[in-house]
Amino acid sequence: MKQVVVFLFLFLGVSVWIPTIGFAQDIPKVKPITGTWINLAYKDVRNKYTNPKGFDNTDPNLWKAKVRELAQMGIEYLVFMEVANEGEAYYPSQIMPHCYNDNIQSPVEAILDEAKKCKMKVFMSTGWAKDQDDNLQDPAIRARQLQIMEELSVLYKEHDAFYGWYLPVEDCICPIFAEHAVQAVNALVARAKELTPGKRTMISPYGIGLSDFDDPNYETQLAKLQVDIIAYQDEVGCVRDKFTLPRLKRNWKKLRDIHNRLDIEMWANCETFTWEGGTNDRQSALIPASYPRLLSQQVAASMGGVDRIISFMFGGIIENPDSPYQLGQPIWSNKLYTDYIAWKNNELYWRFLEATFVNDLLNEANPSMCSNATLQYLLDGEVAEENSEDKRWVKFTSGHHEILIDLQKEINVENILFRMLKYAPEQIGMPSKLYIYQSDNGKEYRLASIKDASRFPNDQYDAWIEGALIEKLGTCRYVKIAFEAIGSVYMDEIFINPRIE
């Protein structure tokens, strides 16, 4: 059920739209995230906040609690990243020593059993034969992965939560999917079907930003795959481009067109993280990205026609502040959680911001309400993308700024929504505060509201669109907005009494 917002203003006693929350019968346009990877092994500094070094990551009570938390967030699918690492198993293997205390339940079994209670579906991994750098062109690596699959199928093929296989063949589809990767996938799929008929198979390759969709061989290679699901890494967290999201939106649509001719589901693997140090560096920790960035990723995937959105990863990135096991970056993993849940709960700010990403938000104001020709673009209904070079941004330099809007008659101003760009590498940010004044005659103004802008400090690399919502301002004819820009402020729209189309 999608929550929609309808508005009613009072124009001199005549009833037209007022703010009302109702429920529509259509399917939500923007899909939630319904799957995530489970990462059992500490491998390098990237796992600093997801699998902290030097503590027992095999405790079954920890994993049972984490599975319950994920279920409460709406996660339906769990995907094991690995069930073994560096020659030791996280399950009762007969071919490898165990990395957990044999006197307690293995983490793999604890996760499966709790997933069953929560009615979740689990994709079992076939790795790692050696470590995260498994080379599937090595016959010994491929043979060990098949041995792992055989052991797991004997142990768990009848388990109610066992839904399918994640095949860690994370080759780059750049510019097309390599033949050796196709063969590696198909060998694992063939054996999976023999051992566990009816179980689904999934891969999650990278390289969507480097793919040559126009090469006929691109589709030819995908068509050879016998896998059921391809969950493409969206690479926003990996910062494939300076401004990743605009091209990603186009790429999802190109992939959808190809998948319409394939018997393979197209899932999005939306990256929730950014970087504490350098990008794509094993000595740099993964830390939470801002939710407006992630919401834009969800919108891009949904509008591009993906069948489902999953994510590497939730655990240690999106952390419930009430969890007894706080794995994530302090404060900001909790902030990402509360923002995501607020969006899922249809809170008005997030509904409005989502509608701007979908281009479904109507503005009661229009350009004629502003006498400054440049500032008229803030009322034209045209929104920009996450790119500082987009011509639809109205740019304010450092210093004091005022925007005057003549509503042309007295109306009840219920809401004002601002849209701004955040891009720290170019010193583009939000003003610390927005001051809203109202007037009935355009001469004497009264201060109606002071709004703090949102702050999210994990911003070394990302461009995202942030909003600010000011509610219940009352009746007036004139609105004056004032703010102090420390660096640059890029604004594309001021929505007066916004309405979702």
Side-chain angles (χ1 to χ4, degrees):
M1 304 280 284
K2 181 181 180 182
Q3 201 172 45
V4 294
V5 181
V6 222
F7 290 89
L8 192 91
F9 307 120
L10 300 175
F11 292 95
L12 302 176
V14 179
S15 295
V16 275
W17 300 93
I18 72 165
T20 299
I21 302 287
F23 289 95
Q25 297 300 317
D26 58 332
I27 298 172
K29 288 184 178 180
V30 179
K31 291 177 167 62
I33 299 169
T34 53
T36 184
W37 268 258
I38 294 285
N39 190 19
L40 294 172
Y42 177 88
K43 304 178 293 296
D44 49 55
V45 177
R46 289 176 297 176
N47 303 124
K48 174 180 174 181
Y49 298 113
T50 59
N51 306 70
K53 188 177 184 180
F55 96 111
D56 182 6
N57 195 42
T58 65
D59 190 308
N61 291 323
L62 162 70
W63 288 110
K64 288 176 182 178
K66 287 301 175 187
V67 169
R68 289 193 298 271
E69 290 167 18
L70 291 168
Q72 290 163 3
M73 283 190 269
I75 297 297
E76 182 182 352
Y77 298 90
L78 298 177
V79 186
F80 277 108
M81 174 58 70
E82 71 288 300
V83 292
N85 185 43
E86 297 180 351
E88 294 185 329
Y90 290 91
Y91 67 95
S93 173
Q94 299 298 311
I95 60 174
M96 290 176 281
H98 306 159
C99 63
Y100 60 92
N101 184 343
D102 285 328
N103 295 320
I104 60 176
Q105 189 179 31
S106 76
V108 168
E109 289 176 338
I111 290 165
L112 280 168
D113 288 350
E114 200 64 31
K116 175 184 174 180
K117 292 178 184 177
C118 296
K119 299 183 174 14
M120 300 166 86
K121 303 176 180 73
V122 176
F123 285 89
M124 195 66 71
S125 176
T126 61
W128 286 303
K130 182 182 178 184
D131 56 28
Q132 61 181 319
D133 296 316
D134 275 0
N135 176 11
L136 291 176
Q137 296 185 70
D138 182 341
I141 295 293
R142 294 175 67 174
R144 177 46 65 97
Q145 287 209 354
L146 290 171
Q147 288 177 322
I148 291 172
M149 181 183 285
E150 288 162 4
E151 277 204 319
L152 293 170
S153 65
V154 171
L155 289 168
Y156 304 122
K157 67 180 178 181
E158 302 301 330
H159 199 290
D160 289 347
F162 184 15
Y163 181 74
W165 295 96
Y166 163 60
L167 312 174
V169 188
E170 292 190 356
D171 275 56
C172 183
I173 41 176
C174 47
I176 64 174
F177 209 49
E179 183 63 25
H180 72 83
V182 171
Q183 296 306 316
V185 170
N186 287 345
L188 290 170
V189 169
R191 189 60 177 144
K193 289 181 177 179
E194 291 173 2
L195 295 169
T196 54
K199 302 298 184 187
R200 308 202 75 201
T201 53
M202 179 176 71
I203 59 173
S204 186
Y206 67 98
I208 189 173
L210 302 171
S211 295
D212 186 356
F213 299 105
D214 297 323
D215 185 340
N217 290 319
Y218 188 92
E219 183 174 339
T220 299
Q221 289 299 97
L222 292 186
K224 293 178 183 179
L225 291 168
Q226 301 301 309
V227 74
D228 297 307
I229 302 160
I230 304 179
Y232 296 91
Q233 299 176 36
D234 74 359
E235 301 186 323
V236 176
C238 288
V239 201
R240 178 66 68 188
D241 303 298
K242 180 180 178 182
F243 300 112
T244 306
L245 277 157
R247 183 164 70 163
L248 177 65
K249 296 169 190 176
R250 300 189 296 272
N251 287 346
W252 280 131
K253 292 177 181 177
K254 292 177 181 179
L255 271 173
R256 180 71 268 172
D257 180 60
I258 292 170
H259 273 260
N260 286 341
R261 296 184 291 275
L262 303 177
D263 189 24
I264 303 174
E265 287 189 33
M266 185 180 89
W267 291 15
N269 176 0
C270 286
E271 295 177 344
T272 57
F273 59 83
T274 184
W275 300 86
E276 191 170 50
T279 60
N280 305 300
D281 183 348
R282 291 186 177 184
Q283 299 307 308
S284 174
L286 302 179
I287 54 177
S290 72
Y291 186 58
R293 194 206 83 181
L294 179 55
L295 177 57
S296 189
Q297 292 168 251
Q298 290 173 244
V299 171
S302 300
M303 297 301 99
V306 303
D307 296 303
R308 187 171 293 277
I309 299 176
I310 60 176
S311 175
F312 174 85
M313 60 186 313
F314 263 50
I317 299 293
I318 303 178
E319 285 283 291
N320 186 335
D322 296 327
S323 171
Y325 300 97
Q326 292 289 322
L327 292 178
Q329 182 193 35
I331 301 173
W332 303 108
S333 61
N334 296 158
K335 169 66 172 168
L336 181 51
Y337 171 91
T338 55
D339 285 349
Y340 178 66
I341 296 301
W343 172 79
K344 288 200 71 181
N345 288 338
N346 294 312
E347 290 189 11
L348 191 60
Y349 166 71
W350 295 109
R351 291 294 97 190
F352 281 160
L353 189 62
E354 174 194 309
T356 70
F357 291 151
V358 179
N359 207 19
D360 271 356
L361 198 65
L362 302 181
N363 197 346
E364 186 71 18
N366 63 70
S368 69
M369 295 179 177
C370 187
S371 59
N372 184 307
T374 300
L375 300 182
Q376 286 179 352
Y377 290 106
L378 296 173
L379 305 173
D380 65 358
E382 295 290 326
V383 294
E385 291 189 302
E386 294 89 342
N387 182 345
S388 63
E389 298 175 5
D390 192 311
K391 302 301 183 184
R392 290 166 290 193
W393 292 114
V394 175
K395 303 174 182 179
F396 299 88
T397 57
S398 60
H400 183 77
H401 298 276
E402 293 186 357
I403 302 165
L404 181 62
I405 300 171
D406 177 0
L407 300 171
Q408 299 173 353
K409 65 175 75 172
E410 284 196 356
I411 67 170
N412 182 29
V413 180
E414 274 289 336
N415 301 293
I416 300 179
L417 179 75
F418 299 84
R419 263 181 50 116
M420 289 168 276
L421 180 66
K422 171 70 172 169
Y423 190 53
E426 293 181 1
Q427 290 78 52
I428 300 168
M430 306 273 284
S432 59
K433 291 182 184 291
L434 290 162
Y435 297 83
I436 311 300
Y437 298 85
Q438 292 179 302
S439 174
D440 302 320
N441 57 20
K443 296 178 181 178
E444 292 88 22
Y445 283 85
R446 57 189 177 271
L447 181 63
S449 180
I450 303 174
K451 180 75 173 185
D452 287 339
S454 178
R455 173 178 175 266
F456 201 88
N458 299 345
D459 62 358
Q460 287 191 80
Y461 307 106
D462 297 337
W464 72 81
I465 291 168
E466 190 80 67
L469 177 65
I470 301 172
E471 302 180 73
K472 300 178 181 177
L473 289 167
T475 301
C476 65
R477 172 169 172 171
Y478 298 90
V479 173
K480 182 168 67 174
I481 298 127
F483 61 88
E484 198 78 21
I486 299 172
S488 297
V489 171
Y490 284 25
M491 192 181 298
D492 64 351
E493 194 74 6
I494 300 173
F495 290 91
I496 307 290
N497 288 332
R499 176 165 57 90
I500 297 176
E501 191 173 23

